[in-house]
Amino acid sequence: MKDTVYLRVHTPREGEGYADFCVYLPTGRGRHVEYRFAYMHHPEKPALAYNEGPNDPANSHFYRIREAYVGTLTGETFTPEFRALQYGEIGLAFIEEGAGDYVGGFHGDECAFHLSLSVDGHRLSLSEPSFTEGHEIGFFEFSYINRCNTPAERLCIHEQCYRMCGDTVTLSQCVEWVADARTLTSAFMPMLTVQRLDPAPPHRRLTDTVELFDRVGGALVASLDTTPYGTVPPPDLPSHVLGDTPATAVRVSGRESGFCAECGILPAEGSAIDTRVRASLWLRYGDGLDSKVYFDVGRGTAPTKGTIWQGEVYYRLTMQGR
């Protein structure tokens, strides 16, 4: 029998046509994980040039998972215990040579032209508040990704089909390039921004072990004990590690907390990203205090019109033990 999952649609912010929504999945030990889907809506900024940025979300209207929290769900009330995921992109973000910023996800230049949210096949409104339970939540998002700060130049169509049931978020993605791209400095699908330390309070360690695998259910190819990394950068330890590891899956876990985050990508056979995936890790500080794992699917390539990137991404956050 399938686990019950829950969906909350919030009230739209003033002037917005769509609302944020949250998905609640069971995560073990009597807890749920709350994935916060944020509706981003930022106007174009004509003054921004192609080579300017960074991290400006201009020219965007679409949804992305902004954060995730582990906590308890009682009735319709969710009480967070700790932040599990910091800002990141389960979807796609890439940067062309010479660009001042990435495009896609948090970075903007992505605009949805079709959205659909459902529970057990029944479609729900994205503009009216509701709380619904069921066994499977689906969210479909189709968007255009444009050249950096150049809204008139569409680069690709980004199709995202989320399926959320049990303890897992699965995201099937298809990227169809509708124009020739410049050489990509990097292209990430996905990123995992799992907390290393709890930002409130930061002395609480949530994860301490990062393990990279060559494929889902495959062999361990690299690992790192992140215990020496605290709230400030250690002078004798690099913050960027495990670079260019041929891996498509990661497991980040905490020995004492019991918290575990798993993530990875299954490239479609024959897709242009089938054999290209490389992973790396960035230990971050400040407000993040996370271990950010990147899966690069296109560095050094220059996709041409008609190129297809296709793959399935998964996120799984669980609490181990009793």
Side-chain angles (χ1 to χ4, degrees), residues 20 31-32 78 90 126 157 213 222 244 252 259 302 309 312:
D20 296 348
R31 296 175 175 87
H32 281 75
F78 179 75
I90 186 173
L126 281 161
I157 297 173
F213 301 87
D244 292 324
V252 185
F259 174 56
W309 288 0
E312 185 175 273

mmCIF file of all heavy atoms in Angstrom, residues 20 31-32 78 90 126 157 213 222 244 252 259 302 309 312:
data_model
loop_
_atom_site.group_PDB
_atom_site.id
_atom_site.type_symbol
_atom_site.label_atom_id
_atom_site.label_comp_id
_atom_site.label_asym_id
_atom_site.label_seq_id
_atom_site.Cartn_x
_atom_site.Cartn_y
_atom_site.Cartn_z
ATOM 1 N N ASP A 20 2.957 29.870 -4.129
ATOM 2 C CA ASP A 20 3.904 28.841 -3.709
ATOM 3 C C ASP A 20 3.121 27.615 -3.244
ATOM 4 O O ASP A 20 1.960 27.716 -2.826
ATOM 5 C CB ASP A 20 4.771 29.331 -2.549
ATOM 6 C CG ASP A 20 5.662 30.502 -2.921
ATOM 7 O OD1 ASP A 20 5.787 30.810 -4.127
ATOM 8 O OD2 ASP A 20 6.223 31.125 -1.999
ATOM 9 N N ARG A 31 8.546 11.432 10.996
ATOM 10 C CA ARG A 31 8.719 12.766 10.452
ATOM 11 C C ARG A 31 8.330 12.827 8.974
ATOM 12 O O ARG A 31 8.236 11.803 8.301
ATOM 13 C CB ARG A 31 10.160 13.232 10.632
ATOM 14 C CG ARG A 31 10.583 13.393 12.091
ATOM 15 C CD ARG A 31 12.062 13.743 12.142
ATOM 16 N NE ARG A 31 12.527 14.035 13.480
ATOM 17 C CZ ARG A 31 12.968 13.131 14.349
ATOM 18 N NH1 ARG A 31 12.957 11.835 14.011
ATOM 19 N NH2 ARG A 31 13.410 13.484 15.543
ATOM 20 N N HIS A 32 8.169 14.056 8.512
ATOM 21 C CA HIS A 32 7.949 14.316 7.093
ATOM 22 C C HIS A 32 8.987 15.326 6.611
ATOM 23 O O HIS A 32 9.558 16.077 7.405
ATOM 24 C CB HIS A 32 6.549 14.889 6.845
ATOM 25 C CG HIS A 32 5.468 13.865 6.855
ATOM 26 N ND1 HIS A 32 4.994 13.296 8.028
ATOM 27 C CD2 HIS A 32 4.762 13.285 5.838
ATOM 28 C CE1 HIS A 32 4.032 12.417 7.735
ATOM 29 N NE2 HIS A 32 3.882 12.402 6.422
ATOM 30 N N PHE A 78 2.553 21.779 9.940
ATOM 31 C CA PHE A 78 3.913 21.266 9.848
ATOM 32 C C PHE A 78 4.814 22.080 10.763
ATOM 33 O O PHE A 78 4.837 23.308 10.705
ATOM 34 C CB PHE A 78 4.427 21.355 8.409
ATOM 35 C CG PHE A 78 5.847 20.868 8.243
ATOM 36 C CD1 PHE A 78 6.126 19.509 8.258
ATOM 37 C CD2 PHE A 78 6.890 21.770 8.087
ATOM 38 C CE1 PHE A 78 7.428 19.055 8.109
ATOM 39 C CE2 PHE A 78 8.198 21.322 7.929
ATOM 40 C CZ PHE A 78 8.462 19.958 7.946
ATOM 41 N N ILE A 90 17.283 21.371 -8.409
ATOM 42 C CA ILE A 90 17.071 19.977 -8.795
ATOM 43 C C ILE A 90 16.946 19.894 -10.314
ATOM 44 O O ILE A 90 17.180 18.864 -10.926
ATOM 45 C CB ILE A 90 15.812 19.396 -8.109
ATOM 46 C CG1 ILE A 90 15.677 17.884 -8.395
ATOM 47 C CG2 ILE A 90 14.562 20.150 -8.502
ATOM 48 C CD1 ILE A 90 14.571 17.210 -7.617
ATOM 49 N N LEU A 126 -3.433 26.330 -8.979
ATOM 50 C CA LEU A 126 -2.201 26.902 -8.441
ATOM 51 C C LEU A 126 -2.409 28.325 -7.942
ATOM 52 O O LEU A 126 -1.448 29.000 -7.568
ATOM 53 C CB LEU A 126 -1.109 26.884 -9.509
ATOM 54 C CG LEU A 126 -0.411 25.538 -9.718
ATOM 55 C CD1 LEU A 126 0.298 25.494 -11.057
ATOM 56 C CD2 LEU A 126 0.572 25.272 -8.582
ATOM 57 N N ILE A 157 13.924 24.574 -24.844
ATOM 58 C CA ILE A 157 12.668 24.268 -24.167
ATOM 59 C C ILE A 157 12.996 23.285 -23.055
ATOM 60 O O ILE A 157 13.649 22.259 -23.282
ATOM 61 C CB ILE A 157 11.645 23.662 -25.139
ATOM 62 C CG1 ILE A 157 11.285 24.659 -26.239
ATOM 63 C CG2 ILE A 157 10.385 23.239 -24.385
ATOM 64 C CD1 ILE A 157 10.410 24.073 -27.319
ATOM 65 N N PHE A 213 28.870 7.673 -6.210
ATOM 66 C CA PHE A 213 28.758 6.360 -6.845
ATOM 67 C C PHE A 213 28.742 6.517 -8.358
ATOM 68 O O PHE A 213 28.237 7.515 -8.889
ATOM 69 C CB PHE A 213 27.479 5.654 -6.380
ATOM 70 C CG PHE A 213 27.412 5.453 -4.889
ATOM 71 C CD1 PHE A 213 26.889 6.451 -4.061
ATOM 72 C CD2 PHE A 213 27.884 4.283 -4.312
ATOM 73 C CE1 PHE A 213 26.833 6.271 -2.688
ATOM 74 C CE2 PHE A 213 27.838 4.096 -2.938
ATOM 75 C CZ PHE A 213 27.316 5.093 -2.116
ATOM 76 N N ALA A 222 34.191 7.628 -4.757
ATOM 77 C CA ALA A 222 34.876 8.665 -3.989
ATOM 78 C C ALA A 222 34.079 8.953 -2.730
ATOM 79 O O ALA A 222 32.855 8.780 -2.700
ATOM 80 C CB ALA A 222 35.034 9.944 -4.810
ATOM 81 N N ASP A 244 35.523 16.584 -10.897
ATOM 82 C CA ASP A 244 35.555 15.745 -12.100
ATOM 83 C C ASP A 244 35.461 14.259 -11.796
ATOM 84 O O ASP A 244 36.023 13.429 -12.514
ATOM 85 C CB ASP A 244 36.817 16.018 -12.917
ATOM 86 C CG ASP A 244 36.805 17.407 -13.525
ATOM 87 O OD1 ASP A 244 35.724 17.868 -13.912
ATOM 88 O OD2 ASP A 244 37.888 18.020 -13.610
ATOM 89 N N VAL A 252 24.662 11.499 1.103
ATOM 90 C CA VAL A 252 25.235 12.341 2.157
ATOM 91 C C VAL A 252 24.515 12.005 3.448
ATOM 92 O O VAL A 252 23.284 12.088 3.526
ATOM 93 C CB VAL A 252 25.067 13.837 1.824
ATOM 94 C CG1 VAL A 252 25.770 14.691 2.871
ATOM 95 C CG2 VAL A 252 25.608 14.154 0.436
ATOM 96 N N PHE A 259 20.212 11.508 9.673
ATOM 97 C CA PHE A 259 19.687 12.130 8.459
ATOM 98 C C PHE A 259 20.483 11.672 7.244
ATOM 99 O O PHE A 259 21.713 11.571 7.282
ATOM 100 C CB PHE A 259 19.741 13.649 8.586
ATOM 101 C CG PHE A 259 19.361 14.388 7.340
ATOM 102 C CD1 PHE A 259 18.137 14.175 6.731
ATOM 103 C CD2 PHE A 259 20.239 15.301 6.774
ATOM 104 C CE1 PHE A 259 17.784 14.855 5.578
ATOM 105 C CE2 PHE A 259 19.886 15.992 5.628
ATOM 106 C CZ PHE A 259 18.663 15.766 5.021
ATOM 107 N N ALA A 302 28.966 22.428 -26.907
ATOM 108 C CA ALA A 302 28.229 23.545 -27.500
ATOM 109 C C ALA A 302 27.021 22.955 -28.216
ATOM 110 O O ALA A 302 27.066 22.692 -29.421
ATOM 111 C CB ALA A 302 29.115 24.326 -28.465
ATOM 112 N N TRP A 309 18.795 16.762 -24.502
ATOM 113 C CA TRP A 309 19.289 16.252 -23.225
ATOM 114 C C TRP A 309 18.101 15.645 -22.495
ATOM 115 O O TRP A 309 17.065 16.291 -22.327
ATOM 116 C CB TRP A 309 19.866 17.374 -22.362
ATOM 117 C CG TRP A 309 21.168 17.926 -22.819
ATOM 118 C CD1 TRP A 309 21.905 17.558 -23.912
ATOM 119 C CD2 TRP A 309 21.912 18.969 -22.170
ATOM 120 N NE1 TRP A 309 23.047 18.300 -23.995
ATOM 121 C CE2 TRP A 309 23.081 19.172 -22.940
ATOM 122 C CE3 TRP A 309 21.696 19.742 -21.040
ATOM 123 C CZ2 TRP A 309 24.042 20.133 -22.592
ATOM 124 C CZ3 TRP A 309 22.635 20.698 -20.687
ATOM 125 C CH2 TRP A 309 23.800 20.879 -21.451
ATOM 126 N N GLU A 312 16.533 11.426 -15.844
ATOM 127 C CA GLU A 312 15.640 11.398 -14.689
ATOM 128 C C GLU A 312 16.454 11.639 -13.434
ATOM 129 O O GLU A 312 17.426 10.920 -13.166
ATOM 130 C CB GLU A 312 14.915 10.054 -14.602
ATOM 131 C CG GLU A 312 13.877 9.989 -13.499
ATOM 132 C CD GLU A 312 13.095 8.679 -13.529
ATOM 133 O OE1 GLU A 312 12.087 8.613 -14.257
ATOM 134 O OE2 GLU A 312 13.522 7.750 -12.831
#
